[in-house]
């Protein structure tokens, strides 16, 4: 199928300053070739995907933010242009932009040379409250435990079983919608993140644009970005991240169905938990 290039209709004026946090997004967008096109996409209830010539990428469907501006059909547009949506202050649009970035970056042919490891078990019910043995929190647990309970761990996003960390460290969970005793409203990041020894940051922060600031605040911590929305690119290591614990789409049809059906877990058949570490 031949594509005739059209003038870009997805533009965000004022985001080109190389000294601004937008440089994170602009660098990643520029890394996508211009001749890759979007085949299909879905802004799902819980998860969203963008499928392109190169593969399929997913992201958590974030809500709120600004009103939607780009409501046209994204199929047939270049993947690079759709990735521009990652800069939108409408978080639904930004969800699709992040999924577009992962359609390019979260691919085995790019990750294998970086020493990526993959969770090939469909479900690993370990001894830690049902968490996977390859879960990022469990991977870091031995290092954190060496501090004898004195390490300060800040987790951005209320992940399943996050309360387990309180068994062996001082825990602060930054959450936009506080649920329980461990949660602290996310504006507290300015106060608690600079004192963190370890910081686990959800990939959703790339969607809502808080990632650049959080990474700056966590410059003295060991940082791991976690979740399917994490963009699997070593460029984030230049921002102080030590480890990326995200995903690759293992079964595009299963992933697309899960997004459209808004039921069931993505990890397993549809997605493979994937980790790359800074060299």
């Amino acid at each position: 199928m031949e594509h005739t290039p059209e003038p870009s209709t997805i533009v965000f004026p004022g985001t080109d300053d190389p000294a601004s946090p937008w440089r994170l997004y602009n660098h990643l967008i520029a890394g996508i070739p211009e001749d890759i096109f979007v085949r299909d996409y879905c802004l799902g209830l819980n998860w969203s995907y963008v499928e392109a010539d190169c593969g399929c990428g997913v992201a958590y469907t974030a809500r709120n933010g600004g009103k939607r501006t780009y409501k046209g059909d994204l199929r047939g547009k270049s993947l690079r242009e759709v990735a521009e949506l990652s800069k939108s202050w409408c978080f639904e649009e930004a969800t699709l932009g992040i999924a577009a970035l992962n359609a390019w970056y979260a691919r085995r042919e790019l990750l294998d040379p970086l020493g990526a490891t993959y969770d090939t078990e469909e479900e690993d019910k370990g001894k830690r409250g049902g968490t996977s043995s390859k879960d990022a929190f469990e991977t870091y647990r031995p290092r954190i435990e060496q501090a004898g309970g004195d390490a300060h761990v800040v987790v951005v996003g209320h992940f399943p079983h996050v309360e387990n960390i309180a068994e062996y460290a001082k825990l602060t969970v930054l959450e936009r919608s506080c649920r329980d005793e461990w949660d602290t409203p996310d504006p507290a990041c300015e106060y608690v993140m600079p004192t963190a020894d370890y910081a686990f940051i959800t990939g959703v922060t790339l969607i809502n644009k808080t990632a650049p600031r959080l990474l700056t605040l966590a410059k003295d911590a060991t940082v791991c970005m976690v979740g399917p929305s994490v963009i699997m690119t070593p460029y984030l290591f230049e921002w102080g991240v030590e480890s990326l614990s995200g995903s690759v789409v293992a079964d595009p049809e299963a992933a697309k169905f899960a997004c459209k059906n808004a039921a069931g877990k993505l990890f397993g058949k549809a997605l493979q938990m994937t980790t790359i570490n800074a060299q």
Side-chain angles (χ1 to χ4, degrees), residues 1 4 6 22-23 30 77 137 160 167 176 182 231 264:
M1 179 179 178
T4 301
E6 297 179 356
W22 291 119
R23 69 186 185 277
K77 288 187 175 293
F137 303 108
E167 298 173 5
R176 187 148 292 185
W182 304 112
I231 302 171

Side-chain angles (χ1 to χ4, degrees), residues 87-148:
K87 296 192 286 186
S88 175
W89 287 110
C90 168
F91 296 150
E92 288 92 342
E93 291 176 350
T95 292
L96 292 174
I98 296 298
L101 285 166
N102 261 330
W104 175 254
Y105 288 102
R107 297 183 294 133
R108 278 180 171 268
E109 53 263 49
L110 296 182
L111 299 178
D112 284 349
L114 300 174
T117 58
Y118 306 91
D119 188 352
T120 57
E121 301 174 2
E122 182 166 325
E123 189 173 10
D124 181 1
K125 296 292 185 181
K127 298 179 181 179
R128 311 290 188 188
T131 57
S132 168
S133 60
K134 296 182 180 179
D135 177 273
F137 303 108
E138 288 302 307
T139 298
Y140 275 90
R141 179 169 182 157
R143 289 171 57 180
I144 297 172
E145 285 183 321
Q146 289 179 359

